[in-house]
Amino acid sequence: MYDLDKVIDRKQGNARKWSNQVLKEKFGLAEDAIPMDLADIDFEVAPAIQAALMKRASIGDYSYSYVPDEFYQAVIDWNQRRYDTHIEKEWIKLTFGTVSTLHYIVQAYTEKGDGVLINTPAYDPFAEAVEHNERKLFCSSLINHDNRYYLDFEDVERQMQENKIKLFIFCSPQNPSGRIWTKDELFRLAELCLRYDVLLVCDEIHRDIVYKGQTFTSIWNAHPEIAQHSVLCLSPNKGFNLGGLKTSYVVIPNQQIRETLLNQLQKNFITSPHVFAVPAIVAAYNESEAWLDEMIDYVAENMQIVYDFFAEIPEAKVMPAESSFLAWIDVRDWFNDETDMQEFFRRANLTMVVGSYFVQDGEGFVRLSIGMPRELLLEALGRIKKEYVRSMEYV
C-alpha cells in the first residue's frame, strides 16, 4: 500500500545522519556514503502525518502553543488499543525529547552523589544523564548467553542493596539489541524495585516496532503495583520518525511522583510544545497505524536479509532481534580492535556505531541502523562484501 522502496533525499531536509559536513568531519567519508549510525529510519513519513503538518503550516501562525485535548485522547487511545495500557489525561506530560527528559528525571528524583543503575550495554545518553548531573553511575552487565541477552537479577539485587540505588533507568525493548523482555522478567525486575524502594524509569520508545510473532509487554502490565512506583517514557519518534519535532512524553500515575517531575520541568522552563509536535502525534496515532504495520514488516524483511548476509561471514554474529531497526553484530572474531573496525567501514564508505559507545560490555560489537529502503540496504551490504573480499585477499 505504501511505497517504502522510495529513496528520498534526506540531505535536502538537513537530516543530521545524511549531512555532508557530518559525514566528512565525523567519519571522514565522501558525500555518497550510506549512513547506518543514527537510530532513525530513512523512509518517507506516513502520508497522514505529512498532510497534517502541511495543513498546520498553511495556517501561518507558529507562535507559542499549548497541548489540546486531542493530543491526550490520541495518546490514551493508542496506548489502550496497541498495548492494552490504561492511561489517564492527568498522567501525561509532553516533553522535548526523551534524552533531555532523562536529565530532568535524574535532577528531580535524586541528589548529587546518589546511585543510579542501568543495564549495559546501554544507550550512552543514559550514562550521561547520570554523570553530567553528578550522580553515581552503576552498571549491571547483561548476560550474553548463546547470542541473546538476559538480565542478571542477582547482580541487580546486589547493586540495589550495596550501592543504595535510588533510580533505575531501564530500556524495554533493549537498545542496541532489540531484545524484548518477557512478562516474567519484567515482573522480577519490578519486584526488586519495589522491595528496595527504587524508582523505575522505563524507556519504552522502541516498542512501536515489534516484529510479528513477538509479544511486547509494557512494564505496567507485568506487575500490578509498579505503575505507582515508576515513570514511563514514551515517544512516536522511533516508529514514525518524528525525532525533529520533539514529540516525547512521560506518563506518571502517582501524583506525588508526577508533581515532583512537573516542578523540575518548571525549574528547567519546559513550557510550550513544538508547534508541529501535536498535529504530528495525533496524525501518527489516529491515522497512521496501517503505515506503521507495513513498515514493521518491511524492516523485519530487512533484518532477515542482514541475517542471511552475515551468515556468509563466519567472523560475524548478528544477535537475533525481536524489535526495532537496529542490527547488533558481534565482530570480535573479525577485527583486532575498534580502530581496525572503523577503518574497514571507512573504506566501505559507510557509517556505523562502535560498541564501546554503549557505556560498557559493547566492545567488539557494531550497531547498524537498517530501517531504510531495500535499495540502500543492498548497496550498503554490497560495499561490506566488497571490502570484506578485498581484505581477505591480504590475509
Side-chain angles (χ1 to χ4, degrees), residues 70-117:
E70 62 175 345
F71 160 78
Y72 295 107
Q73 196 60 52
V75 168
I76 290 168
D77 292 345
W78 178 259
N79 281 275
Q80 186 67 59
R81 182 173 72 250
R82 194 86 177 179
Y83 304 105
D84 192 28
T85 302
H86 173 72
I87 290 177
E88 297 182 12
K89 176 183 176 181
E90 292 73 21
W91 305 352
I92 308 166
K93 174 60 178 177
L94 183 63
T95 59
F96 287 158
T98 302
V99 170
S100 58
T101 301
L102 289 176
H103 285 260
Y104 310 143
I105 286 171
V106 169
Q107 294 163 8
Y109 302 116
T110 64
E111 302 293 336
K112 290 183 180 180
D114 282 346
V116 180
L117 184 64

Side-chain angles (χ1 to χ4, degrees), residues 278-295:
V278 169
I281 294 177
V282 171
Y285 285 171
N286 289 353
E287 303 177 68
S288 304
E289 193 165 3
W291 180 92
L292 178 66
D293 288 337
E294 191 167 323
M295 189 273 289

Side-chain angles (χ1 to χ4, degrees), residues 183-254:
K183 186 175 183 178
D184 287 343
E185 289 172 318
L186 294 171
F187 181 87
R188 289 184 65 185
L189 188 69
E191 278 281 285
L192 291 175
C193 290
L194 293 167
R195 184 181 308 163
Y196 295 101
D197 193 24
V198 175
L199 181 64
L200 179 59
V201 178
C202 194
D203 172 359
E204 294 189 1
I205 69 170
H206 287 270
R207 70 178 185 173
D208 283 335
I209 305 178
V210 171
Y211 305 153
K212 282 183 179 176
Q214 304 295 335
T215 300
F216 172 82
T217 302
S218 179
I219 187 67
W220 291 355
N221 291 333
H223 195 291
E225 299 175 33
I226 197 61
Q228 288 296 321
H229 299 271
S230 62
V231 175
L232 194 58
C233 297
L234 302 175
S235 174
N237 291 354
K238 298 304 176 186
F240 297 98
N241 214 34
L242 303 179
L245 294 180
K246 307 304 179 186
T247 52
S248 300
Y249 57 98
V250 294
V251 188
I252 311 173
N254 183 291

